[in-house]
Amino acid sequence: KVSEAFNHVGLLAVEMFQTENDDILVNEVAPRPHNSGHQTIEASYTSQFEQHIRAILNLPLGRTDSKVGGVMVNLVGAEGFTGNVVYQNIETIMQMDGVTPHIYGKKETRPFRKMGHVTIVNENLNEARRVAEEVKKSIKVISE
């Protein structure tokens, strides 16, 4: 209904809330690929980026199901750090199976600024979640 209301073509990310009365409220829409779906790059047959291009070019849409279980961890600037970015322990997470960091190329970090994300894939979604917790404990976005 949201997409139809905007007469939208392409990917539309919709943030919704369910109320205690089971009503669905639309909070925010983004007429583009959205960071909440970045795990589709590694985990899905067709990533959200490819699907968006297919849609706006009127090409056949791709499969949207997952190839493997996928979990995404956002990389945000640590509290108390501002300046030239350092990805502390990135080498550690890159040695973990199924872990792919995506660094957005921003030169400076500041507290809570989104600097990238890490996708974790595994045939077993619970194992992907376990590795994601390890990733969160390991990598820190700090400054020099």
Side-chain angles (χ1 to χ4, degrees), residues 10 15 22 24 27-28 39 41-42 52 68 70 72 75 83 85 92 95 98 105 121 126 130 140:
E15 180 181 83
D22 286 334
I24 301 296
N27 182 56
E28 177 183 54
Q39 80 282 355
I41 298 167
E42 283 84 26
H52 184 66
V68 293
M72 189 181 72
L75 296 177
V85 66
T92 301
Q95 293 175 28
V121 295
N126 287 329
R130 186 195 67 74
K140 300 288 181 242

Side-chain angles (χ1 to χ4, degrees), residues 122-137:
N122 193 290
E123 293 293 327
N124 181 320
L125 185 56
N126 287 329
E127 178 62 10
R129 288 181 179 134
R130 186 195 67 74
V131 173
E133 289 302 318
E134 219 176 302
V135 166
K136 286 195 284 190
K137 291 176 187 172

Side-chain angles (χ1 to χ4, degrees), residues 4-136:
E4 288 173 0
F6 286 114
N7 197 23
H8 179 74
V9 175
L11 194 72
L12 182 68
V14 181
E15 180 181 83
M16 297 175 273
F17 295 105
Q18 182 178 8
T19 69
E20 291 177 1
N21 297 330
D22 286 334
D23 292 324
I24 301 296
L25 305 175
V26 173
N27 182 56
E28 177 183 54
V29 296
R32 57 175 166 70
H34 191 267
N35 61 356
S36 63
H38 285 347
Q39 80 282 355
T40 62
I41 298 167
E42 283 84 26
S44 299
Y45 284 99
T46 308
S47 77
Q48 65 170 347
F49 299 95
E50 179 183 346
Q51 195 77 304
H52 184 66
I53 296 299
R54 286 176 178 229
I56 63 175
L57 294 177
N58 200 29
L59 295 170
L61 298 179
R63 288 176 58 181
T64 58
D65 46 332
S66 297
K67 296 185 281 188
V68 293
V71 177
M72 189 181 72
V73 173
N74 285 320
L75 296 177
V76 297
E79 194 169 7
F81 290 91
T82 300
N84 294 333
V85 66
V86 173
Y87 296 92
Q88 186 178 55
N89 298 326
I90 193 166
E91 299 87 357
T92 301
I93 69 164
M94 291 179 74
Q95 293 175 28
M96 298 175 185
D97 288 338
V99 173
T100 306
H102 294 265
I103 305 301
Y104 298 164
K106 298 172 183 174
K107 303 284 187 219
E108 292 189 7
T109 187
R110 60 181 176 264
F112 310 109
R113 182 181 192 199
K114 187 157 182 202
M115 302 296 289
H117 71 274
V118 180
T119 304
I120 300 93
V121 295
N122 193 290
E123 293 293 327
N124 181 320
L125 185 56
N126 287 329
E127 178 62 10
R129 288 181 179 134
R130 186 195 67 74
V131 173
E133 289 302 318
E134 219 176 302
V135 166
K136 286 195 284 190

